[in-house]
Amino acid sequence: EQTEQPQQESTSASSEDTSSSEASSGSSVEVNDHLKQIAQRESGGDITAINPSSGAAGKYQFLQSTWDSVAPAEYVGQSPASAPESVQDAAAVELYNTAGASQWVTA
């Protein structure tokens, strides 16, 4: 199921230690393993995903009000799905670090 990110066939302890700090495929932002799982459950990793029922959008399925609280100023008021992956990742990391995983139903 993790076809977006190639898995290394290494058994050394150091590869496990660094796995949580790897940047996601299209982003330079370090995203922890839990957020990577959340993104997979929320959108399958699709940065342009939009939920037609709730309006949640982007890789992490932000509601607009939540997005506006963590997005950089130039992206406030815009759909999260229109922001680059690195911006979505940074916003998700900020939300996760300040409010925790409870912000996502799938967490």
Side-chain angles (χ1 to χ4, degrees):
E1 291 185 4
Q2 297 184 4
T3 57
E4 281 77 30
Q5 298 197 12
Q7 298 297 313
Q8 293 182 345
E9 301 264 342
S10 173
T11 57
S12 69
S14 63
S15 69
E16 286 185 27
D17 293 343
T18 60
S19 65
S20 64
S21 64
E22 291 175 3
S24 62
S25 58
S27 171
S28 60
V29 176
E30 292 183 358
V31 176
N32 70 40
D33 288 339
H34 194 200
L35 271 175
K36 290 176 186 177
Q37 292 172 348
I38 290 168
Q40 279 301 310
R41 288 189 208 119
E42 291 289 341
S43 69
D46 181 357
I47 66 169
T48 63
I50 298 176
N51 181 315
S53 299
S54 68
K59 182 176 177 180
Y60 300 93
Q61 292 293 280
F62 286 103
L63 293 173
Q64 190 67 46
S65 58
T66 304
W67 172 253
D68 289 346
S69 74
V70 293
E74 62 267 29
Y75 293 98
V76 171
Q78 295 183 26
S79 171
S82 67
E85 185 171 20
S86 60
V87 173
Q88 293 184 38
D89 285 345
V93 168
E94 180 179 341
L95 183 61
Y96 187 93
N97 289 342
T98 58
S102 65
Q103 298 296 305
W104 290 274
V105 175
T106 62

